[in-house]
């Protein structure tokens, strides 16, 4: 690069949260943050993070401000370090992020957050990365963030290269090609007790099912890829629910156990099964938190929304369609 990175260089970006239909849990390499398994997700238009990155002179460290409060910037600095490295720059940055949904409660705020950071930081630095490069950059902040660079359906490849350059996500299908509805049943607003990074590290060393999880992931991914290619909603839903429960079997058999569910989480799972028994194709998936995301066809969304809203302990139900790629706001 001929120009130096100027103090005051700034850019804003928006990235949407995503939920995995085939989940990532476990790492190949903790430093590169490469996942031990691939994953497939959908991006949600209703949940997003807006992030501004400003490189400043005179800062001793990067600063991360999330919804107006200062947070530990260690993971953000991993992403910013790579951007600084490509510009041969040393300036620290202020990262100002806002989520339009509860943070750290299993709604994938790290996914949207680090995807928005990757787009804003490269934008502020005057770089023009490809979508794949952005995905790799976002992965250094959070594995699931690699998928939030893309709208619609995305697949993350675990990869095996020593430099992590084959560990990135790509789009399987734009959201407009297959409109689906996602109802997010929010059952708690607090941050989760054990974050995903710590939780998956504990699972890898203590769950007797971890090796089975690794061994069966390629089949789940191939089946999900085929179900999406065939626009087979029932198959997508069944596989998503199965893979979610397999993940939670791993979590429950971690020592100490990772129990992310509360009573309302379980009640929503039963409500979804009751909906299916009454003829509505609805399927749940749950990440490392107590919220339940329910997949259905747009024509069934209002009935599913009404059913979930009456479940005891459900605080709020948010409806979402599939979201777009991450993008610059300025
Ligand atoms: C259960 O992407 O938050 O949501 O890479 O350590 O930041 P780190 O983990 P993170 O883990 C996501 C776990 C999950 C499943 C998924 O999104 O695939």
């Amino acid at each position: 690069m001929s120009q130096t990175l100027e103090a005051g260089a700034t850019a804003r970006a928006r990235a949407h949260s995503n939920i995995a239909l085939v989940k990532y849990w476990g790492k190949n390499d903790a430093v590169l943050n490469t996942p031990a398994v691939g994953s497939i997700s959908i991006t949600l238009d209703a949940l997003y993070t807006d992030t501004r990155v400003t490189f400043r002179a005179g800062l001793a460290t990067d600063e991360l401000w999330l919804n107006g409060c200062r947070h530990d910037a260690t993971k953000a600095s991993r992403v910013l370090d790579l951007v600084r490295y490509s510009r041969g720059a040393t300036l620290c940055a202020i990262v100002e992020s806002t989520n339009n949904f509860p943070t750290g409660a299993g709604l994938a705020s790290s996914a949207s957050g680090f995807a928005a950071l990757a787009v804003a930081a490269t934008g502020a630095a005057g770089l023009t990365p490809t979508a794949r490069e952005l995905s790799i950059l976002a992965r250094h902040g959070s594995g699931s963030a690699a998928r939030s660079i893309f709208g619609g359906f995305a697949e993350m490849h675990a990869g095996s290269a020593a430099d992590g350059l084959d560990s990135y996500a790509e789009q399987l299908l734009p959201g407009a090609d297959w409109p689906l509805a996602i109802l997010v049943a929010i059952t708690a607003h607090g941050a989760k007790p054990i974050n995903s990074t710590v939780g998956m590290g504990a699972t890898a060393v203590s769950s007797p099912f971890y090796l089975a999880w690794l061994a069966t992931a390629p089949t789940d991914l191939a089946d999900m890829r085929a179900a999406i290619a065939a626009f087979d909603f029932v198959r997508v839903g069944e596989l998503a629910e199965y893979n979610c429960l397999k993940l939670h079997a791993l979590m429950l058999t971690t020592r100490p156990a990772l129990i992310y569910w509360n009573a309302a989480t379980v009640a929503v799972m039963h409500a979804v099964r009751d909906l299916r028994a009454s003829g509505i194709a609805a399927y749940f998936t749950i990440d490392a938190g107590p919220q339940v995301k329910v997949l259905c066809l747009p024509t069934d969304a209002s009935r599913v929304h009404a059913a979930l809203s009456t479940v005891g302990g459900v605080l709020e139900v948010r409806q979402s369609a599939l979201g777009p790629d991450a993008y610059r706001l300025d």
Side-chain angles (χ1 to χ4, degrees):
M1 289 288 161
S2 49
Q3 290 170 292
T4 53
L5 177 54
E6 299 274 331
T10 188
R12 274 180 84 214
R14 174 172 295 177
H16 292 74
S17 158
N18 73 73
I19 49 167
L21 304 176
V22 176
K23 312 277 190 196
Y24 146 50
W25 197 254
K27 295 180 196 288
N28 265 343
D29 184 309
V31 175
L32 292 170
N33 202 33
T34 50
V37 292
S39 52
I40 293 178
S41 64
I42 46 178
T43 299
L44 306 181
D45 76 342
L47 308 177
Y48 57 81
T49 302
D50 287 346
T51 295
R52 176 180 289 284
V53 171
T54 310
F55 288 97
R56 287 260 172 89
L59 286 179
T61 58
D62 295 317
E63 289 184 17
L64 171 62
W65 295 84
L66 184 51
N67 293 330
C69 297
R70 184 138 181 210
H71 283 251
D72 176 35
T74 309
K75 286 186 173 184
S77 291
R78 282 194 221 152
V79 173
L80 291 164
D81 282 346
L82 291 167
V83 171
R84 280 187 281 261
Y85 179 77
S86 16
R87 291 302 318 263
T90 53
L91 283 178
C92 288
I94 298 205
V95 178
E96 296 159 285
S97 268
T98 48
N99 291 334
N100 77 331
F101 59 93
T103 299
L107 287 174
S109 56
S110 64
S112 51
F114 287 107
L117 174 62
V119 176
T122 49
L127 297 168
T128 49
T130 62
R132 180 175 299 182
E133 287 165 343
L134 281 172
S135 180
I136 290 172
L137 186 58
R139 188 202 76 219
H140 283 270
S142 195
S144 53
R147 302 183 309 239
S148 269
I149 296 298
F150 302 97
F153 295 76
E155 175 165 5
M156 174 76 188
H157 305 287
S160 57
D163 57 8
L165 291 181
D166 59 353
S167 179
Y168 55 83
E170 58 191 345
Q171 191 174 60
L172 289 176
L173 196 67
D177 285 13
W178 194 15
L180 295 179
I182 300 95
L183 287 304
V184 183
I186 296 174
T187 65
H189 283 310
K192 61 196 172 204
I194 309 276
N195 73 38
S196 302
T197 310
V198 173
M200 64 179 79
T203 297
V205 296
S206 65
S207 172
F209 301 155
Y210 186 62
L211 291 179
W213 169 255
L214 300 181
T216 56
T219 307
D220 289 4
L221 289 164
D223 290 351
M224 184 59 81
R225 223 178 281 128
I228 292 168
F231 298 96
D232 184 341
F233 180 68
V234 169
R235 187 84 183 120
V236 165
E238 283 174 0
L239 282 167
E241 219 175 88
Y242 163 70
N243 182 269
C244 157
L245 290 172
K246 189 161 42 162
L247 170 67
H248 285 271
L250 272 189
M251 292 166 162
L252 293 170
T253 51
T254 295
R255 291 184 174 183
L258 301 168
I259 306 177
Y260 288 111
W261 301 343
N262 60 30
T265 312
V266 178
V268 173
M269 290 158 70
H270 285 293
V272 170
R273 289 161 69 101
D274 290 347
L275 278 167
R276 278 214 297 280
S278 75
I280 297 177
Y283 299 88
F284 63 78
T285 185
I286 306 161
D287 289 321
Q291 329 298 1
V292 187
K293 294 91 174 187
V294 182
L295 239 67
C296 67
L297 296 171
T299 43
D300 290 329
S302 56
R303 287 173 71 191
V304 175
H305 191 293
L308 299 182
S309 302
T310 62
V311 175
V314 170
L315 306 174
E316 188 190 340
V317 179
R318 291 219 190 169
Q319 185 171 335
S320 183
L322 300 189
D325 292 351
Y327 57 95
R328 287 278 298 275
L329 285 168
D330 42 15

